[in-house]
């Protein structure tokens, strides 16, 4: 004996499947990550760093996660709004690569010399736009220098 289901039941099943599908699709939608502007100065031995990059890495050891932020250093200044990506706030591992000259100053394929080994520090950034100045000491030899990053206003 073959039993058929009514049109009303069929429509309810189709509606239920549609609602479940939309729920799954909405749950998989990419959530936008809030990023914040960082700007300031970078010095080495008291002088502006001519070129380089400041990286803002969320500190996973302190429970912070998210995408990396970065900013180019130009004549001792950096700003994530000028060709970079903002930070996500919270505990950060800061890495600074300082170069002796900008890439455009290069006349051939030889690499531009670094002013110092990659500078590493850990700081906490507000979940807001921030101004921070970084001073790499003259005698920096590549080991992390806790607290070397200067707090901004």
């Amino acid at each position: 004996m073959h039993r058929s289901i009514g049109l009303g039941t069929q429509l309810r099943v189709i509606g239920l499947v549609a609602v479940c599908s939309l729920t799954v699709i909405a749950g998989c939608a990419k959530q936008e990550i809030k990023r914040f502007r960082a700007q300031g100065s970078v010095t080495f031995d008291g002088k502006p760093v001519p070129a380089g990059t400041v990286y803002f890495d969320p500190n996973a050891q302190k429970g912070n996660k998210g995408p990396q932020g970065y900013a180019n250093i130009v004549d001792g200044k950096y700003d994530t709004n000028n060709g970079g990506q903002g930070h996500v706030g919270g505990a950060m591992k800061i890495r600074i690569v300082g170069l002796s000259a900008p890439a455009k100053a290069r006349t051939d394929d030889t690499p531009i010399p670094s002013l110092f080994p990659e500078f590493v520090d850990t700081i906490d950034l507000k979940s807001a736009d921030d101004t921070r100045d970084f001073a790499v000491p003259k005698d920096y030899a590549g080991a992390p220098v806790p607290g070397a990053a200067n707090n901004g206003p």
Side-chain angles (χ1 to χ4, degrees), residues 20-149:
C20 289
S21 297
L22 289 175
T23 302
V24 169
I25 290 169
C28 293
K30 186 175 181 180
Q31 293 182 359
E32 188 170 326
I33 295 171
K34 179 72 174 156
R35 291 180 180 259
F36 304 98
R37 180 182 188 184
Q39 62 181 333
S41 65
V42 182
T43 59
F44 173 62
D45 189 22
K47 299 176 191 92
V49 172
T53 308
V54 179
Y55 296 97
F56 301 91
D57 299 324
N59 192 335
Q61 292 176 334
K62 293 191 176 186
N64 195 7
K65 58 184 176 180
Q68 176 189 68
Y70 67 92
N72 294 321
I73 302 168
V74 178
D75 297 326
K77 303 285 183 193
Y78 74 93
D79 188 338
T80 57
N81 279 4
N82 293 333
Q85 289 284 333
H87 64 84
V88 294
M92 292 284 158
K93 181 176 164 184
I94 302 299
R95 296 183 298 120
I96 300 175
V97 175
L99 302 176
S100 60
K104 64 183 175 190
R106 186 172 51 188
T107 58
D108 56 19
D109 290 337
T110 59
I112 295 173
S114 295
L115 288 175
F116 47 84
E118 181 177 81
F119 179 78
V120 179
D121 198 5
T122 56
I123 63 172
D124 287 323
L125 291 175
K126 299 176 276 187
S127 292
D129 293 348
D130 200 6
T131 299
R132 292 281 173 137
D133 296 331
F134 297 103
V136 179
K138 179 181 180 179
D139 59 353
Y140 179 69
V145 181

